[in-house]
Amino acid sequence: MNEERLLRRYQALLGAVPQSVWVMSPGGVVTVLSGGGIADKLWTPGTDTSWMEAVHPKDRDWFQRAWRKATQQRSPLDTIVRVRLDGDVDRFRHIKIIAAPVVDEDGEVEFVGTATDAEEHWRGRMREKLLARMAAVPAARDLSEAFLTTAAAVVPELADAVAVFRLVDGVETGVRPADAPAATSPERVGLAPGLPSLPPLDPDFILGPVAQRAIESQEASLLVFPPGGPPGDGLSDVSVRWLREAQATGMALVPVVVDGRTVALATIATCRGNPPPDKADLSLLQDVFQQMSGPLRRTMELQSIRGRALALQQSFLAAPPSIDGLTITALYHPADSAAEVGGDWYDAVRLSADALALSIGDIAGHDLDAAMAMARVNSILRGLAYDSGPAADPAVTVSRLDRIVQALDNPSMVTAVHAVLRRQAHGGWHIALSNAGHPPPLLIPADAPSRYLHAFTAPDPPLCVSDSLPRTTLHADLREGDTLVFYTDGLVETPDTDLGDNLRRLRERSDALARRNPPMRSLVRGLLPPLHHRRDDIAIIALQARPDS
């Protein structure tokens, strides 16, 4: 009688607590001792199915390993796992499972455990985790980097694939329908292992009507696909083909809004039989992508500043003049950074039919101030060169420039090479130049290995160091077929490398290119280092002596 009373009291206690209590026999049969709490909502396996089938497909592998370890080692298990809800194959809930082994007198082991609803707890922790990742992201170098960071935060924990489409303004009508909100360009994505790569998009790619409605309304939406993938209407043909190949089960569309303007659309898909996202997933995804607004705003501001600086900088990089007996080629390659712009410049001024002033330089700094300082110095040197004329001594011109620049407000350190080229009566050109702390020009003779002009002569100090330093003029000759290359330090200086080694590699690269006898512009472009090695702006101006026309 006492045992029956104790049992009733125990059952009453179990019914009063939010946990469901269960026991698993050594044969794997699960019996619910108390059906209170979450147990009534969970899917129950039949006689021909395993309770492991109730576990979410993404959690099944690791949970099976954890359960196998617990049974083999007869150790407790304490974890959170997604379990299917009763009556809906696509709805799951996070359940906290605690299980402890119990050994009977025959040495057999059964497990007694509890199951507790942990959905809100898990989502709260996940939200904190993802938002912490986003909060740690400063303004990215470009928008692609910001989108990649966000995609990495949600794949594979919340989704199998993330593609972000940046909205681009100013696209010509005719490329897209007149009522389309914006043109799009694909950004970097996050893909779970085993999924097909996203296909390249044509320049005239247009998002489908469903995506355009999300952009216009600035409201997130959910799409759940029938077996076999999405239907053919509402989405672009390219998207439908990929989603079907990836066996997508659903997709969330999340507009990314900054200061009231939709700047991008994030598309988040679940694939390969994984359940589609639900409203709770969508809410969490909205929180994560909205967290991008701060870094995105800063990135866009930096890009705007950089765009203005580049426009200013390139406005002073005029096309070289045409002069008989010389082929002149120039190029400018900005650094691959949204936050920086250099103060590099080049210039060429025709002084007479037989004379040319050429200069190249670099202003210290990487911002709009550097670009404005570059504009001032370039303009002053151009005026001094033209005023001094063909007979001017470059060292004198650079000394005059140094005094003027130092008289300006907030002068910046400047390196530069200023040269005057004069046609010689017997053919070719005479070069007189002054080097103010700049890398030495590279001479590529027509019939000999390349070399640096005056490589063993130390250059004069940069500008804005002292106004009383004497400056020197160096001399060289440019024969028919020879090429002379002036460049800024971005061509030969990279972090954690030796400048001497880089100068040697540049000379070797020029020799290899010259042997192919390429067109002048191809030779100059061939001197550029690979894209992943470019850390600074690069300006180059090169000239080649040729027969007079």
Side-chain angles (χ1 to χ4, degrees):
M1 190 66 179
N2 289 336
E3 290 182 358
E4 292 180 0
R5 182 179 299 174
L6 288 174
L7 180 59
R8 287 196 301 270
R9 289 176 177 174
Y10 179 61
Q11 290 174 334
L13 175 62
L14 292 181
V17 296
Q19 296 92 350
S20 299
V21 183
W22 53 269
V23 61
M24 174 180 282
S25 70
V29 178
V30 177
T31 303
V32 176
L33 299 181
S34 169
I38 191 64
D40 294 338
K41 302 177 183 179
L42 300 182
W43 175 81
T44 303
T47 56
D48 57 346
T49 55
S50 168
W51 64 274
M52 190 64 73
E53 294 183 20
V55 176
H56 192 287
K58 284 191 173 184
D59 294 350
R60 202 166 291 161
D61 286 344
W62 70 260
F63 186 70
Q64 282 181 323
R65 291 193 299 270
W67 181 253
R68 190 179 304 116
K69 179 181 178 181
T71 55
Q72 290 174 350
Q73 298 181 359
R74 299 185 175 186
S75 57
L77 178 68
D78 185 346
T79 190
I80 294 178
V81 64
R82 284 172 285 186
V83 179
R84 183 181 300 160
L85 297 179
D86 189 28
D88 193 337
V89 296
D90 289 332
R91 291 190 62 206
F92 290 79
R93 200 159 181 88
H94 287 85
I95 307 299
K96 182 176 179 61
I97 293 179
I98 299 176
V102 178
V103 182
D104 63 16
E105 60 274 9
D106 297 325
E108 295 288 344
V109 178
E110 64 180 9
F111 275 81
V112 176
T114 61
T116 309
D117 189 346
E119 185 67 23
E120 294 305 319
H121 172 76
W122 181 87
R123 290 195 178 277
R125 292 290 301 274
M126 178 57 68
R127 179 178 280 103
E128 292 175 1
K129 176 182 176 181
L130 295 179
L131 297 185
R133 289 183 187 175
M134 296 305 302
V137 178
R141 296 193 312 155
D142 54 43
L143 293 180
S144 294
E145 184 177 333
F147 292 139
L148 177 62
T149 301
T150 308
V154 300
V155 174
E157 290 172 292
L158 292 181
D160 298 303
V162 174
V164 180
F165 296 90
R166 181 184 173 191
L167 305 186
V168 182
D169 297 324
V171 177
E172 298 176 2
T173 52
V175 176
R176 58 183 173 88
D179 59 349
T184 56
S185 61
E187 296 291 346
R188 298 181 182 181
V189 298
L191 290 176
L195 290 180
S197 300
L198 290 181
L201 299 180
D202 296 331
D204 57 350
F205 169 77
I206 303 170
L207 287 170
V210 173
Q212 292 185 10
R213 284 196 296 271
I215 293 170
E216 292 172 341
S217 67
Q218 296 186 346
E219 294 181 358
S221 60
L222 285 173
L223 301 176
V224 177
F225 303 141
D233 56 338
L235 301 173
S236 68
D237 293 340
V238 175
S239 299
V240 169
R241 286 195 297 270
W242 184 87
L243 290 167
R244 287 176 177 174
E245 183 182 358
Q247 302 173 31
T249 56
M251 185 165 66
L253 303 176
V254 180
V256 181
V257 181
V258 176
D259 295 334
R261 182 166 63 95
T262 306
V263 300
L265 179 71
T267 58
I268 304 101
T270 50
C271 307
R272 298 287 169 88
N274 289 315
D278 57 22
K279 291 183 179 180
D281 294 326
L282 183 62
S283 175
L284 183 51
L285 288 168
Q286 285 179 280
D287 287 346
V288 171
F289 279 93
Q290 193 54 41
Q291 189 74 11
M292 291 178 65
S293 60
L296 278 181
R297 183 184 297 107
R298 293 191 294 272
T299 297
M300 293 166 68
E301 290 171 352
L302 290 172
Q303 286 191 329
S304 177
I305 293 172
R306 175 171 169 77
R308 293 196 299 270
L310 285 175
L312 173 64
Q313 188 171 20
Q314 293 181 353
S315 70
F316 285 91
L317 302 178
S322 176
I323 189 166
D324 286 344
L326 286 176
T327 298
I328 308 174
T329 296
L331 66 80
Y332 172 76
H333 189 283
D336 182 20
S337 171
E340 295 185 350
V341 60
D344 296 19
W345 91 88
Y346 60 78
D347 195 19
V349 182
R350 182 171 179 169
L351 303 178
S352 70
D354 298 321
L356 174 79
L358 186 148
S359 59
I360 194 164
D362 186 6
I363 306 289
H366 293 84
D367 52 22
L368 188 58
D369 289 340
M372 295 175 64
M374 174 276 297
R376 289 196 299 269
V377 174
N378 183 17
S379 298
I380 294 169
L381 181 54
R382 170 180 270 258
L384 289 174
Y386 190 82
D387 180 66
S388 300
D393 182 342
V396 173
T397 302
V398 173
S399 294
R400 293 175 64 193
L401 173 68
D402 195 4
R403 289 193 295 272
I404 295 172
V405 171
Q406 291 192 53
L408 299 175
D409 293 336
N410 301 317
S412 301
M413 190 174 70
V414 182
T415 68
V417 173
H418 176 63
V420 175
L421 284 81
R422 304 182 187 92
R423 193 191 311 272
Q424 294 180 311
H426 56 276
W429 295 77
H430 176 75
I431 306 165
L433 66 86
S434 178
N435 187 340
H438 204 75
L442 176 65
L443 178 64
I444 308 174
D447 55 0
S450 58
R451 68 179 189 275
Y452 292 102
L453 288 185
H454 313 290
F456 300 104
T457 302
D460 294 335
L463 307 185
C464 301
V465 173
S466 172
D467 58 3
S468 60
L469 290 171
R471 297 193 175 274
T472 56
T473 295
L474 306 172
H475 300 272
D477 291 320
L478 191 68
R479 300 176 301 165
E480 185 177 312
D482 291 354
T483 301
L484 184 61
V485 182
F486 296 79
Y487 55 92
T488 54
D489 57 7
L491 188 64
V492 291
E493 291 186 4
T494 54
D496 303 321
T497 61
D498 181 76
L499 177 59
D501 291 340
N502 294 342
L503 288 169
R504 174 182 52 79
R505 281 191 286 268
L506 176 62
R507 185 168 49 79
E508 292 172 350
R509 191 158 64 245
S510 68
D511 286 339
L513 289 166
R515 285 194 292 269
R516 306 174 196 167
N517 195 27
M520 179 74 163
R521 190 160 190 83
S522 297
L523 185 148
V524 170
R525 287 194 171 278
L527 296 177
L528 291 172
L531 279 172
H532 60 279
H533 285 164
R534 302 178 194 176
R535 298 291 185 269
D536 198 358
D537 292 12
I538 299 173
I540 300 177
I541 186 165
L543 46 87
Q544 187 178 71
R546 55 178 172 79
D548 293 344
S549 57

mmCIF file of all heavy atoms in Angstrom, residues 387-411:
data_model
loop_
_atom_site.group_PDB
_atom_site.id
_atom_site.type_symbol
_atom_site.label_atom_id
_atom_site.label_comp_id
_atom_site.label_asym_id
_atom_site.label_seq_id
_atom_site.Cartn_x
_atom_site.Cartn_y
_atom_site.Cartn_z
ATOM 1 N N ASP A 387 56.681 77.133 -67.249
ATOM 2 C CA ASP A 387 57.265 78.475 -67.161
ATOM 3 C C ASP A 387 58.784 78.446 -67.338
ATOM 4 O O ASP A 387 59.365 79.368 -67.926
ATOM 5 C CB ASP A 387 56.914 79.093 -65.818
ATOM 6 C CG ASP A 387 57.474 80.487 -65.652
ATOM 7 O OD1 ASP A 387 57.031 81.391 -66.396
ATOM 8 O OD2 ASP A 387 58.354 80.688 -64.800
ATOM 9 N N SER A 388 59.440 77.373 -66.857
ATOM 10 C CA SER A 388 60.901 77.289 -66.939
ATOM 11 C C SER A 388 61.381 76.993 -68.351
ATOM 12 O O SER A 388 62.503 77.373 -68.723
ATOM 13 C CB SER A 388 61.407 76.215 -65.977
ATOM 14 O OG SER A 388 61.038 76.514 -64.647
ATOM 15 N N GLY A 389 60.590 76.254 -69.119
ATOM 16 C CA GLY A 389 60.942 76.017 -70.510
ATOM 17 C C GLY A 389 61.891 74.856 -70.711
ATOM 18 O O GLY A 389 62.343 74.202 -69.756
ATOM 19 N N PRO A 390 62.236 74.584 -72.001
ATOM 20 C CA PRO A 390 63.042 73.406 -72.346
ATOM 21 C C PRO A 390 64.456 73.419 -71.763
ATOM 22 O O PRO A 390 65.048 72.363 -71.548
ATOM 23 C CB PRO A 390 63.080 73.443 -73.875
ATOM 24 C CG PRO A 390 61.963 74.331 -74.281
ATOM 25 C CD PRO A 390 61.790 75.310 -73.179
ATOM 26 N N ALA A 391 65.004 74.585 -71.508
ATOM 27 C CA ALA A 391 66.391 74.661 -71.041
ATOM 28 C C ALA A 391 66.497 74.581 -69.520
ATOM 29 O O ALA A 391 67.612 74.681 -68.978
ATOM 30 C CB ALA A 391 67.021 75.970 -71.537
ATOM 31 N N ALA A 392 65.413 74.384 -68.817
ATOM 32 C CA ALA A 392 65.439 74.413 -67.358
ATOM 33 C C ALA A 392 66.244 73.256 -66.782
ATOM 34 O O ALA A 392 66.310 72.165 -67.364
ATOM 35 C CB ALA A 392 64.022 74.382 -66.824
ATOM 36 N N ASP A 393 66.841 73.502 -65.623
ATOM 37 C CA ASP A 393 67.534 72.467 -64.854
ATOM 38 C C ASP A 393 66.503 71.816 -63.929
ATOM 39 O O ASP A 393 65.924 72.498 -63.070
ATOM 40 C CB ASP A 393 68.659 73.114 -64.049
ATOM 41 C CG ASP A 393 69.467 72.089 -63.265
ATOM 42 O OD1 ASP A 393 68.970 70.951 -63.065
ATOM 43 O OD2 ASP A 393 70.590 72.428 -62.850
ATOM 44 N N PRO A 394 66.234 70.517 -64.066
ATOM 45 C CA PRO A 394 65.216 69.882 -63.223
ATOM 46 C C PRO A 394 65.455 70.066 -61.728
ATOM 47 O O PRO A 394 64.489 70.203 -60.957
ATOM 48 C CB PRO A 394 65.296 68.408 -63.622
ATOM 49 C CG PRO A 394 65.775 68.423 -65.033
ATOM 50 C CD PRO A 394 66.753 69.581 -65.078
ATOM 51 N N ALA A 395 66.726 70.071 -61.283
ATOM 52 C CA ALA A 395 66.997 70.243 -59.853
ATOM 53 C C ALA A 395 66.531 71.602 -59.368
ATOM 54 O O ALA A 395 66.001 71.748 -58.253
ATOM 55 C CB ALA A 395 68.484 70.064 -59.575
ATOM 56 N N VAL A 396 66.703 72.626 -60.199
ATOM 57 C CA VAL A 396 66.255 73.970 -59.832
ATOM 58 C C VAL A 396 64.722 74.001 -59.744
ATOM 59 O O VAL A 396 64.143 74.582 -58.815
ATOM 60 C CB VAL A 396 66.777 75.005 -60.851
ATOM 61 C CG1 VAL A 396 66.163 76.383 -60.565
ATOM 62 C CG2 VAL A 396 68.287 75.077 -60.809
ATOM 63 N N THR A 397 64.073 73.363 -60.724
ATOM 64 C CA THR A 397 62.605 73.342 -60.724
ATOM 65 C C THR A 397 62.070 72.630 -59.478
ATOM 66 O O THR A 397 61.126 73.101 -58.835
ATOM 67 C CB THR A 397 62.089 72.636 -61.991
ATOM 68 O OG1 THR A 397 62.598 73.307 -63.150
ATOM 69 C CG2 THR A 397 60.569 72.629 -62.023
ATOM 70 N N VAL A 398 62.695 71.513 -59.106
ATOM 71 C CA VAL A 398 62.239 70.768 -57.930
ATOM 72 C C VAL A 398 62.508 71.559 -56.659
ATOM 73 O O VAL A 398 61.697 71.542 -55.717
ATOM 74 C CB VAL A 398 62.912 69.380 -57.879
ATOM 75 C CG1 VAL A 398 62.589 68.666 -56.566
ATOM 76 C CG2 VAL A 398 62.466 68.528 -59.051
ATOM 77 N N SER A 399 63.617 72.284 -56.595
ATOM 78 C CA SER A 399 63.902 73.120 -55.424
ATOM 79 C C SER A 399 62.847 74.222 -55.278
ATOM 80 O O SER A 399 62.387 74.521 -54.165
ATOM 81 C CB SER A 399 65.293 73.742 -55.538
ATOM 82 O OG SER A 399 66.292 72.740 -55.477
ATOM 83 N N ARG A 400 62.472 74.831 -56.395
ATOM 84 C CA ARG A 400 61.417 75.853 -56.347
ATOM 85 C C ARG A 400 60.092 75.229 -55.867
ATOM 86 O O ARG A 400 59.383 75.818 -55.039
ATOM 87 C CB ARG A 400 61.234 76.480 -57.728
ATOM 88 C CG ARG A 400 62.421 77.298 -58.215
ATOM 89 C CD ARG A 400 62.189 77.767 -59.638
ATOM 90 N NE ARG A 400 61.041 78.677 -59.738
ATOM 91 C CZ ARG A 400 60.479 79.034 -60.898
ATOM 92 N NH1 ARG A 400 60.939 78.532 -62.035
ATOM 93 N NH2 ARG A 400 59.451 79.863 -60.899
ATOM 94 N N LEU A 401 59.798 74.047 -56.388
ATOM 95 C CA LEU A 401 58.580 73.352 -55.964
ATOM 96 C C LEU A 401 58.616 73.071 -54.460
ATOM 97 O O LEU A 401 57.608 73.263 -53.757
ATOM 98 C CB LEU A 401 58.436 72.045 -56.741
ATOM 99 C CG LEU A 401 57.295 71.118 -56.301
ATOM 100 C CD1 LEU A 401 55.951 71.744 -56.633
ATOM 101 C CD2 LEU A 401 57.437 69.750 -56.964
ATOM 102 N N ASP A 402 59.765 72.644 -53.950
ATOM 103 C CA ASP A 402 59.886 72.304 -52.535
ATOM 104 C C ASP A 402 59.591 73.515 -51.661
ATOM 105 O O ASP A 402 58.858 73.432 -50.663
ATOM 106 C CB ASP A 402 61.301 71.775 -52.273
ATOM 107 C CG ASP A 402 61.420 71.069 -50.927
ATOM 108 O OD1 ASP A 402 60.382 70.927 -50.232
ATOM 109 O OD2 ASP A 402 62.531 70.636 -50.568
ATOM 110 N N ARG A 403 60.128 74.680 -52.035
ATOM 111 C CA ARG A 403 59.909 75.888 -51.236
ATOM 112 C C ARG A 403 58.426 76.277 -51.241
ATOM 113 O O ARG A 403 57.875 76.681 -50.206
ATOM 114 C CB ARG A 403 60.760 77.038 -51.768
ATOM 115 C CG ARG A 403 62.244 76.865 -51.503
ATOM 116 C CD ARG A 403 63.001 78.161 -51.754
ATOM 117 N NE ARG A 403 62.951 78.551 -53.167
ATOM 118 C CZ ARG A 403 63.813 78.147 -54.094
ATOM 119 N NH1 ARG A 403 64.800 77.313 -53.763
ATOM 120 N NH2 ARG A 403 63.716 78.564 -55.347
ATOM 121 N N ILE A 404 57.776 76.161 -52.387
ATOM 122 C CA ILE A 404 56.366 76.536 -52.472
ATOM 123 C C ILE A 404 55.498 75.582 -51.650
ATOM 124 O O ILE A 404 54.615 76.001 -50.896
ATOM 125 C CB ILE A 404 55.902 76.550 -53.939
ATOM 126 C CG1 ILE A 404 56.641 77.646 -54.710
ATOM 127 C CG2 ILE A 404 54.396 76.764 -54.030
ATOM 128 C CD1 ILE A 404 56.392 77.615 -56.203
ATOM 129 N N VAL A 405 55.757 74.286 -51.772
ATOM 130 C CA VAL A 405 54.946 73.295 -51.070
ATOM 131 C C VAL A 405 55.091 73.462 -49.566
ATOM 132 O O VAL A 405 54.109 73.347 -48.804
ATOM 133 C CB VAL A 405 55.328 71.869 -51.507
ATOM 134 C CG1 VAL A 405 54.643 70.820 -50.631
ATOM 135 C CG2 VAL A 405 54.952 71.646 -52.966
ATOM 136 N N GLN A 406 56.315 73.741 -49.100
ATOM 137 C CA GLN A 406 56.510 73.911 -47.661
ATOM 138 C C GLN A 406 55.828 75.159 -47.127
ATOM 139 O O GLN A 406 55.538 75.250 -45.930
ATOM 140 C CB GLN A 406 58.006 73.949 -47.344
ATOM 141 C CG GLN A 406 58.698 72.612 -47.559
ATOM 142 C CD GLN A 406 60.099 72.580 -46.961
ATOM 143 O OE1 GLN A 406 60.293 72.892 -45.787
ATOM 144 N NE2 GLN A 406 61.082 72.193 -47.765
ATOM 145 N N ALA A 407 55.544 76.103 -48.016
ATOM 146 C CA ALA A 407 54.856 77.319 -47.579
ATOM 147 C C ALA A 407 53.352 77.106 -47.462
ATOM 148 O O ALA A 407 52.655 77.951 -46.877
ATOM 149 C CB ALA A 407 55.149 78.447 -48.566
ATOM 150 N N LEU A 408 52.851 75.998 -47.998
ATOM 151 C CA LEU A 408 51.422 75.717 -47.924
ATOM 152 C C LEU A 408 51.038 75.281 -46.515
ATOM 153 O O LEU A 408 51.875 74.846 -45.725
ATOM 154 C CB LEU A 408 51.048 74.623 -48.925
ATOM 155 C CG LEU A 408 51.310 74.923 -50.401
ATOM 156 C CD1 LEU A 408 50.994 73.691 -51.242
ATOM 157 C CD2 LEU A 408 50.473 76.112 -50.862
ATOM 158 N N ASP A 409 49.751 75.374 -46.204
ATOM 159 C CA ASP A 409 49.262 74.878 -44.922
ATOM 160 C C ASP A 409 49.361 73.357 -44.890
ATOM 161 O O ASP A 409 49.030 72.677 -45.869
ATOM 162 C CB ASP A 409 47.800 75.301 -44.721
ATOM 163 C CG ASP A 409 47.658 76.809 -44.559
ATOM 164 O OD1 ASP A 409 48.643 77.442 -44.153
ATOM 165 O OD2 ASP A 409 46.561 77.330 -44.864
ATOM 166 N N ASN A 410 49.785 72.825 -43.751
ATOM 167 C CA ASN A 410 49.863 71.377 -43.545
ATOM 168 C C ASN A 410 50.551 70.658 -44.702
ATOM 169 O O ASN A 410 49.976 69.795 -45.376
ATOM 170 C CB ASN A 410 48.455 70.785 -43.358
ATOM 171 C CG ASN A 410 47.730 71.399 -42.191
ATOM 172 O OD1 ASN A 410 48.296 71.605 -41.123
ATOM 173 N ND2 ASN A 410 46.446 71.725 -42.403
ATOM 174 N N PRO A 411 51.799 70.995 -44.980
ATOM 175 C CA PRO A 411 52.486 70.326 -46.089
ATOM 176 C C PRO A 411 52.694 68.840 -45.788
ATOM 177 O O PRO A 411 52.904 68.441 -44.645
ATOM 178 C CB PRO A 411 53.826 71.065 -46.174
ATOM 179 C CG PRO A 411 54.050 71.603 -44.792
ATOM 180 C CD PRO A 411 52.672 71.938 -44.279
#
